[in-house]
Amino acid sequence: MHKHITLWILIIIVPIIIISTVWHTNNMLDMSIKHNIKSMQTVDLLLGKEYKSEFSRLDSFSDIKNKSMDFTKRYNSENLEVKFSYKGSYFDSKPVEEYIRELNIGTRAAMLYTKGEYPQYIIATPISSVHSMYSIFDMSELYNQKKHMYCFGILFAILISLLISIITYMISKKIAKPLEDLTIAAKAISKGETAEIDLAKCKYEAKDLGKAFINMQNAITNREQDLQVELAKKQYLLNAISHEMRTPLTSILGNARILQGAELDADTRNELAEKICSQAERLSNIESQLMMLVSSKDEIELAEVNIKNILERVAEEAKSASNVNIIVEGESSVIKANEDLMKILINNILDNAIHVSKANDTIIMRAEKHGFSIRDNGIGMNDEEIASAFEPFYKSDKARTRKHGGAGLGLAICKRIAELHGAELSINSEKCKGTTVRYEQ
């Protein structure tokens, strides 16, 4: 990993350093050339003024030629060459070069010429309509400096890049080592193996990452254990389903064979048929209740419902089929819920309350601000029974369950419906004094 980091830094940083160095070098040299050109222009201006003052006192061509030759000898130096032309030719009869002649535009003009043997900066100063002065400055030294500076800049950039690469390699190696250890550990975990991470070797963010990795590993281990527990529960659920369905299936099969093989009177046949229908309905109820247990929160639709209205409708339906008094209390309150699921939940809780109540007992259903409660005066439950009440297939009163054909799924279904709504279902009960079940969002 650290090798890749170093390589990418080399690919990205080195060109940036070289380009930046060359750009800055070029800017510095351009500034130097501009400064020298400004100095050259000043020198040329002084020469032109001096020559023009001398030229104004000359009358003959020979005087002009001699004065021009004197100026040439006097001011020619290593970096400066002064030439004079008269009617398109120098005073030594050589014609003026074409590129210099282009500067004769009637006013003072200058150009940087780099196509000759050496780079030159040329300034043309008109003395008269047929007489001109040319100041030719040798730029070789400046351009040589430019080349040397370019070479030095590139060499400097390469050295800096190498230094940065070495430092980067060392730092990235130190930083990447814990990450490589984490990668090895991750591969081990993916194979189902355990991995140990030495946090003492990790520093700064790598240490935080190492801690997070350890927490993740612990979470995975805990999740694996939870899945094993959940798998055991599912196996228990399957076994319980098999057990619960065996009784009604046996009853249906037995009654059906009696109907097939015996000559029975109409009342007996109707009674057997009623038993078969009853057991079939019981199987249907078990199936729908089990489907409710495996439903997910995303599969239900919620809307604002009046909980008191639902309590009143469920109570009205239950009164006709029971011998207890059912009273609905409380004020109208609106909660967000699935109305069909709320009916199932309330029906299950009310059904339990009716089954544990005696004839003419009173059951109170109360609408509350964030839910409801249902209270009966039945047999009640102890702490152990309350703790197990929400488990699937749990039956605190086996005799009552056999009598009414329950599968022990009622409160487990209620608990699941409450979870799907993000609500809490609680039981407050005391043996022989009744039970209160409260739903609260």
Side-chain angles (χ1 to χ4, degrees):
M1 183 183 289
H2 55 277
K3 292 179 181 178
H4 292 141
I5 294 173
T6 306
L7 179 62
W8 277 109
I9 288 177
L10 280 172
I11 293 173
I12 296 171
I13 299 298
V14 171
I16 292 175
I17 293 175
I18 293 175
I19 292 170
S20 177
T21 304
V22 170
W23 184 78
H24 282 292
T25 302
N26 190 60
N27 280 349
M28 290 172 61
L29 290 172
D30 285 345
M31 289 175 63
S32 178
I33 290 172
K34 288 177 181 178
H35 177 73
N36 278 275
I37 286 175
K38 196 170 182 180
S39 299
M40 293 171 189
Q41 289 173 345
T42 303
V43 171
D44 175 78
L45 190 61
L46 293 173
L47 286 174
K49 286 183 178 180
E50 183 181 353
Y51 184 77
K52 283 180 179 180
S53 66
E54 296 286 341
F55 176 77
S56 61
R57 295 193 294 269
L58 302 176
D59 296 325
S60 64
F61 173 77
S62 60
D63 291 338
I64 293 172
K65 180 179 179 180
N66 291 332
K67 179 57 68 176
S68 299
M69 297 297 287
D70 288 341
F71 256 76
T72 300
K73 291 178 181 178
R74 190 194 317 168
Y75 287 105
N76 278 6
S77 63
E78 186 178 347
N79 295 320
L80 174 60
E81 182 180 1
V82 180
K83 290 184 178 182
F84 294 90
S85 69
Y86 191 83
K87 294 183 179 181
S89 298
Y90 295 122
F91 284 112
D92 57 4
S93 299
K94 291 181 181 180
V96 177
E97 291 88 343
E98 185 65 32
Y99 64 89
I100 295 178
R101 192 180 300 140
E102 291 176 357
L103 293 174
N104 295 330
I105 57 176
T107 59
R108 191 166 177 258
M111 68 177 293
L112 182 62
Y113 184 74
T114 58
K115 296 181 179 180
E117 295 181 3
Y118 57 90
Q120 300 172 326
Y121 184 70
I122 305 167
I123 303 174
T125 304
I127 306 301
S128 68
S129 60
V130 294
H131 184 31
S132 298
M133 182 182 79
Y134 304 105
S135 300
I136 304 172
F137 297 89
D138 187 357
M139 304 288 286
S140 300
E141 185 175 349
L142 282 174
Y143 274 79
N144 287 333
Q145 287 180 3
K146 187 175 184 178
K147 289 179 182 178
H148 292 321
M149 286 295 290
Y150 274 138
C151 293
F152 174 78
I154 293 172
L155 180 61
F156 174 77
I158 292 172
L159 291 175
I160 290 295
S161 300
L162 288 174
L163 181 62
I164 291 174
S165 300
I166 292 170
I167 294 172
T168 302
Y169 179 82
M170 294 173 64
I171 294 174
S172 62
K173 185 176 181 180
K174 194 170 184 180
I175 293 174
K177 185 62 171 66
L179 300 179
E180 291 174 352
D181 293 341
L182 290 175
T183 303
I184 294 170
K187 290 179 179 178
I189 291 174
S190 67
K191 295 177 181 178
E193 303 171 359
T194 57
E196 293 185 1
I197 300 172
D198 189 2
L199 290 178
K201 295 181 180 179
C202 302
K203 293 185 178 180
Y204 310 113
E205 286 80 3
K207 191 168 187 177
D208 294 336
L209 182 59
K211 289 179 179 178
F213 192 91
I214 291 173
N215 292 336
M216 181 191 72
Q217 185 177 0
N218 293 336
I220 291 173
T221 303
N222 294 335
R223 179 57 180 161
E224 186 177 357
Q225 293 172 351
D226 292 341
L227 288 174
Q228 290 175 351
V229 172
E230 189 175 342
L231 183 62
K233 287 182 178 179
K234 287 183 178 180
Q235 186 61 45
Y236 163 75
L237 184 62
L238 290 172
N239 294 338
I241 291 171
S242 175
H243 177 269
E244 288 296 327
M245 294 183 73
R246 188 181 301 119
T247 301
L249 284 174
T250 302
S251 176
I252 291 170
L253 184 61
N255 290 322
R257 283 177 177 171
I258 293 172
L259 285 172
Q260 282 179 332
E263 293 184 2
L264 305 171
D265 56 47
D267 290 339
T268 304
R269 293 178 68 86
N270 289 336
E271 183 181 350
L272 290 173
E274 183 65 30
K275 288 181 179 179
I276 291 173
C277 290
S278 176
Q279 295 301 321
E281 287 177 359
R282 181 181 175 189
L283 281 175
S284 178
N285 289 335
I286 291 174
E287 183 270 339
S288 62
Q289 290 173 347
L290 289 173
M291 289 301 294
M292 184 63 63
L293 284 175
V294 297
S295 297
S296 68
K297 191 172 183 179
D298 296 333
E299 295 174 359
I300 66 170
E301 295 182 1
L302 303 180
E304 290 187 348
V305 296
N306 189 311
I307 194 64
K308 188 175 183 182
N309 290 345
I310 298 176
L311 290 173
E312 288 173 343
R313 288 199 297 271
V314 172
E316 192 64 31
E317 292 170 2
K319 284 178 182 178
S320 60
S322 65
N323 57 357
V324 297
N325 300 315
I326 303 174
I327 300 173
V328 178
E329 298 179 347
E331 298 180 358
S332 294
S333 60
V334 175
I335 63 172
K336 203 162 188 178
N338 182 288
E339 186 168 346
D340 293 334
L341 293 181
M342 278 292 105
K343 287 180 180 179
I344 293 173
L345 185 148
I346 295 168
N347 263 316
N348 277 335
I349 297 174
L350 182 59
D351 185 61
N352 283 345
I354 292 171
H355 289 161
V356 298
S357 299
K358 298 176 183 178
N360 299 319
D361 276 357
T362 299
I363 297 173
I364 298 177
M365 305 172 72
R366 177 181 293 276
E368 298 176 352
K369 184 176 181 180
H370 300 293
F372 64 89
S373 64
I374 299 177
R375 179 167 59 85
D376 64 65
N377 297 310
I379 60 176
M381 293 185 288
N382 57 34
D383 292 342
E384 183 180 351
E385 291 170 336
I386 292 174
S388 304
F390 294 119
E391 295 179 5
F393 306 105
Y394 176 76
K395 304 169 185 178
S396 63
D397 187 344
K398 305 296 188 296
R400 180 183 68 81
T401 302
R402 285 193 295 271
K403 178 182 177 182
H404 296 286
L409 287 169
L411 285 179
I413 296 295
C414 293
K415 183 70 172 178
R416 181 58 183 157
I417 292 174
E419 290 174 352
L420 293 174
H421 287 78
E424 184 178 353
L425 196 64
S426 60
I427 298 176
N428 185 15
S429 182
E430 191 174 347
K431 207 68 174 174
C432 302
K433 292 186 178 181
T435 301
T436 300
V437 180
R438 176 169 278 103
Y439 172 92
E440 186 173 11
Q441 285 188 354

